[in-house]
Amino acid sequence: MQPNPVRAAARAVAGPAVRRVRREIQWRSCGSTLRLERGSAESYPHAVMEHETPLFRQLAGVDQQLQRNKVVNLRLALERLDGLILPPGQRFSFWWHVRKATARRGFLDGVVLSHGQVVAGVGGGLCQLTNLIYWMTLHTPLTVVERWRHSYDVFPDTGRTQPFGSGATCAWPVLDLQITNPTTTAFRLGLGLSNTHLQGAWTADAAVTTTYQVYESDHLMANAGPGVFVRHNVVKRRTFSPAGVQMADELVAVNEARMMYQPFLEAERS
């Protein structure tokens, strides 16, 4: 059956409005749990997890100006997020706080991944922030209740320090990152920029005694057809007691992504 061009055009026009309404309904269903206050770092002295990622990478075919613009976009988002407190029973929503990235608000064209292609788009680069927050959260007792994975593996591993598929993509307003606090401890999200890195930390008002190890298994790169390669892995998390005894080994995510570059497969070596 041939697609109906009228319906396709109607979906293209109405789609963004429908997606916005759906997200607004979801936010309203969460009620006051989304309204987070800010707090001083001194009131949350217990370090739980901290991490940083480089602001600039050598990416083939990508204009460096887009990466410089990304830093501007990150700074604007950090103004809305740095210092937020996630008390027990509350929910963090990335887009609820950041809101839509527009040129009127000062956001610039940055790197956007669209269907496996690198393009320029207003607010581009904010995925680096959701990636960071998601990775840090996996090392805390907080619960990720909404996370979207990348469908494409765009760049080869160059200096990768985290398992493939351990990030979280974002796109207004559909692809959000949301986190809840099921504990009795309040957490503070600290974010900042140095000249070279995006920096983040979860701290708490009481000591968190459990520790976490996030790792991957079943990693595979495979040829799925002429010129088509896919990458697969499973991300898991081990939880340890204060004495170092493993208490849990849980599934975090199963990732499948089409590779947008030519991999070097083990089979090719033989």
Side-chain angles (χ1 to χ4, degrees):
M1 179 181 296
Q2 294 295 323
N4 186 312
V6 175
R7 291 180 180 176
R11 283 196 297 269
V13 173
V18 171
R19 292 190 289 269
R20 173 62 187 270
V21 169
R22 287 176 177 171
R23 180 57 71 187
E24 288 291 345
I25 292 173
Q26 188 263 326
W27 280 334
R28 290 180 184 180
S29 71
C30 295
S32 61
T33 62
L34 291 173
R35 298 188 180 94
L36 306 181
E37 304 293 334
R38 295 177 187 267
S40 66
E42 292 76 15
S43 299
Y44 299 82
H46 300 277
V48 182
M49 173 58 178
E50 61 182 30
H51 191 63
E52 65 177 16
T53 56
L55 293 172
F56 305 100
R57 298 179 184 274
Q58 295 300 319
L59 303 176
V62 177
D63 185 353
Q64 283 294 102
Q65 184 60 47
L66 295 180
Q67 295 201 63
R68 290 189 286 270
N69 290 352
K70 175 191 68 175
V71 177
V72 175
N73 297 337
L74 290 171
R75 184 171 289 110
L76 290 172
L78 262 58
E79 291 175 358
R80 307 297 298 271
L81 299 176
D82 179 41
L84 288 180
I85 307 303
L86 186 57
Q90 296 291 101
R91 177 185 292 246
F92 166 84
S93 165
F94 177 82
W95 283 126
W96 194 89
H97 288 282
V98 174
R99 312 309 291 180
K100 186 177 182 180
T102 64
R104 176 178 291 184
R105 297 179 57 205
F107 287 90
L108 305 176
D109 276 350
V111 174
V112 175
L113 302 181
S114 177
H115 303 287
Q117 302 299 316
V118 177
V119 299
V122 174
L126 293 183
C127 285
Q128 182 172 353
L129 186 49
T130 50
N131 285 339
L132 177 77
I133 297 172
Y134 176 70
W135 175 251
M136 294 194 304
T137 302
L138 291 180
H139 294 79
T140 75
L142 301 172
T143 300
V144 177
V145 292
E146 181 177 338
R147 170 258 182 180
W148 298 85
R149 65 179 177 85
H150 297 269
S151 301
Y152 295 89
D153 182 18
V154 179
F155 300 109
D157 292 353
T158 302
R160 179 186 290 276
T161 59
Q162 300 167 207
F164 164 72
S166 58
T169 189
C170 64
W172 169 267
V174 183
L175 310 184
D176 198 8
L177 175 64
Q178 296 193 15
I179 300 162
T180 60
N181 183 356
T183 76
T184 58
T185 300
F187 289 77
R188 181 183 185 274
L189 178 61
L191 298 165
L193 291 170
S194 70
N195 290 334
T196 57
H197 285 77
L198 171 64
Q199 302 167 323
W202 279 115
T203 57
D205 62 358
V208 174
T209 57
T210 52
T211 56
Y212 303 88
Q213 178 193 23
V214 180
Y215 68 101
E216 74 170 350
S217 66
D218 304 309
H219 184 268
L220 175 67
M221 295 181 182
N223 189 337
V228 177
F229 295 87
V230 295
R231 188 172 187 176
H232 167 90
N233 79 340
V234 176
V235 178
K236 297 182 177 180
R237 182 175 77 162
R238 297 187 181 103
T239 304
F240 297 92
S241 72
V245 177
Q246 181 175 314
M247 300 186 297
D249 189 0
E250 61 186 313
L251 175 68
V252 173
V254 177
N255 298 298
E256 193 87 28
R258 179 172 176 175
M259 303 176 69
M260 305 307 292
Y261 56 92
Q262 186 78 13
F264 183 71
L265 301 177
E266 290 292 333
E268 296 175 346
R269 298 182 182 181
S270 57

